[in-house]
Amino acid sequence: MVMNFLRKLMYGRYGSDQLSLFLLVVYVLLILLSGLPHMGWLSWLALVVLVWDLFRMFSRRIDRRRAENARFLALAGPVVRWLRLRHNIHRDKEHRYFKCPNCGQYLRVPRGKGKITVTCRNCGASFEERS
Ligand SMILES: [Zn+2]
């Protein structure tokens, strides 16, 4: 009964995507932060975010919502990749990570080998590093 009602309600509407999930997380964070002293105004911002999120989910302009989500993913992609890299670096105790001083590429060397000469696999520059 309830599922049927929901299905009818959402028929022809956009529904949820990565951006709507992200907005929901932002909403929850704003609500939590609005509990802090002098931060009560954040609950208004949270309301705006929630209304925007619901507007997107119930929107019938599916093409536009898809384009928004694609833009969001293009923006979020580098951030997600960076967070994943930080996570890997933190977990990997057998390697040392550093940036190539020439091109900025992340390089990985085994730990505990003393001073070694590293050649960047991206630009070919050679330099000494302590591993
Ligand atoms: Zn390089």
Side-chain angles (χ1 to χ4, degrees), residues 1 3 6-7 10 12 15 18-20 38 48 65 77 81 112 114 127 129:
M1 183 64 195
M3 285 312 289
L6 278 176
R7 205 169 296 145
M10 292 309 289
Q18 289 91 341
L19 177 54
S20 68
H38 311 298
V48 172
R65 302 290 88 80
R81 271 194 294 280
F127 47 93
E129 270 293 326

Side-chain angles (χ1 to χ4, degrees), residues 46-116:
L47 190 67
V48 172
V49 170
L50 185 67
V51 168
W52 183 29
D53 201 12
L54 289 172
F55 162 77
R56 289 191 76 254
M57 283 159 86
F58 287 100
S59 171
R60 291 182 186 279
R61 311 204 60 166
I62 288 168
D63 288 352
R64 279 194 181 197
R65 302 290 88 80
R66 275 215 186 109
E68 279 170 8
N69 194 50
R71 273 203 300 276
F72 167 69
L73 289 180
L75 278 174
V79 178
V80 171
R81 271 194 294 280
W82 184 82
L83 286 173
R84 226 173 254 162
L85 180 73
R86 301 306 310 176
H87 182 69
N88 282 341
I89 289 173
H90 186 71
R91 278 203 322 190
D92 188 353
K93 302 291 176 210
E94 281 155 32
H95 296 92
R96 233 178 71 78
Y97 290 76
F98 53 89
K99 264 186 174 177
C100 169
N102 191 42
C103 69
Q105 168 78 40
Y106 266 100
L107 302 169
R108 192 181 77 163
V109 293
R111 269 184 193 279
K113 303 267 187 209
K115 245 188 179 178
I116 52 169

